[in-house]
Amino acid sequence: MLDPGTEAPTFTLENQHGESVSLGDGDAAYTVVYFYPRADTPGCTTEACGFRDEWDAFEAADVAVLGISDDPVEDLADFAAKHDLPFHLLSDPDGEVASAYDSYGEKEMFGDVFDGVFRNTYVVDAEGTIVLAYEGVSPEEHAARILEDVAAIED
């Protein structure tokens, strides 16, 4: 995991619409950069829908959200449409960005070993500094916890 206080690695990736999106696009006070293993699987859907369900609160707190996986753009488009996700989902097909954020590597599932994305989240401020880091998060209530933690920074 990258530690708070570390400069966030910059990136430009394609979103679910095939558009290029970079860290720092827009003028949000904070950006959530969350990594998830696979679009439209139970845990990833729970996590994404948590951000969707808290979307008004994220906008009110001036917090942008970027979800990143190694899924192809087409899968992200289907996932976003199916669950009415109002934020960018970004395709990192080679895991390069996830690797830069210590969120990609060897995993084991059902006895198979493969490279994949780890469920980690970072909050980056407008200057590009990581201010919060969450490793191996549980998808339930994750979005609400981030909102609480960002509010605590502001206090």
Side-chain angles (χ1 to χ4, degrees):
M1 283 295 293
L2 302 177
D3 294 321
T6 303
E7 186 175 332
T10 59
F11 57 82
T12 300
L13 296 170
E14 283 188 65
N15 71 3
Q16 67 266 35
H17 307 295
E19 304 162 337
S20 291
V21 174
S22 299
L23 179 64
D25 282 356
D27 58 357
Y30 298 98
T31 300
V32 172
V33 180
Y34 84 94
F35 295 90
Y36 64 97
R38 188 69 51 223
D40 216 21
T41 56
C44 297
T45 300
T46 296
E47 186 174 23
C49 290
F51 286 111
R52 178 203 63 204
D53 294 348
E54 296 286 353
W55 187 244
D56 290 344
F58 276 96
E59 286 190 312
D62 197 20
V63 179
V65 176
L66 303 174
I68 301 176
S69 74
D70 59 359
D71 291 307
V73 170
E74 300 78 27
D75 290 358
L76 299 180
D78 292 344
F79 183 43
K82 180 177 180 181
H83 298 287
D84 196 28
L85 303 178
F87 50 87
H88 293 294
L89 297 177
L90 305 178
S91 177
D92 182 23
D94 299 321
E96 290 178 22
V97 173
S99 292
Y101 280 82
D102 291 339
S103 298
Y104 191 86
E106 190 173 279
K107 300 171 74 169
E108 183 175 343
M109 185 180 294
F110 307 117
D112 293 328
V113 177
F114 58 95
D115 285 338
V117 178
F118 305 138
R119 193 182 306 280
N120 296 334
T121 300
Y122 295 91
V123 177
V124 180
D125 69 15
E127 288 75 41
T129 302
I130 295 170
V131 294
L132 298 167
Y134 307 83
E135 185 173 20
V137 302
S138 173
E140 296 83 11
E141 305 300 323
H142 183 51
R145 178 175 175 205
I146 290 171
L147 286 167
E148 290 171 7
D149 292 348
V150 167
I153 291 172
E154 296 294 305
D155 290 341

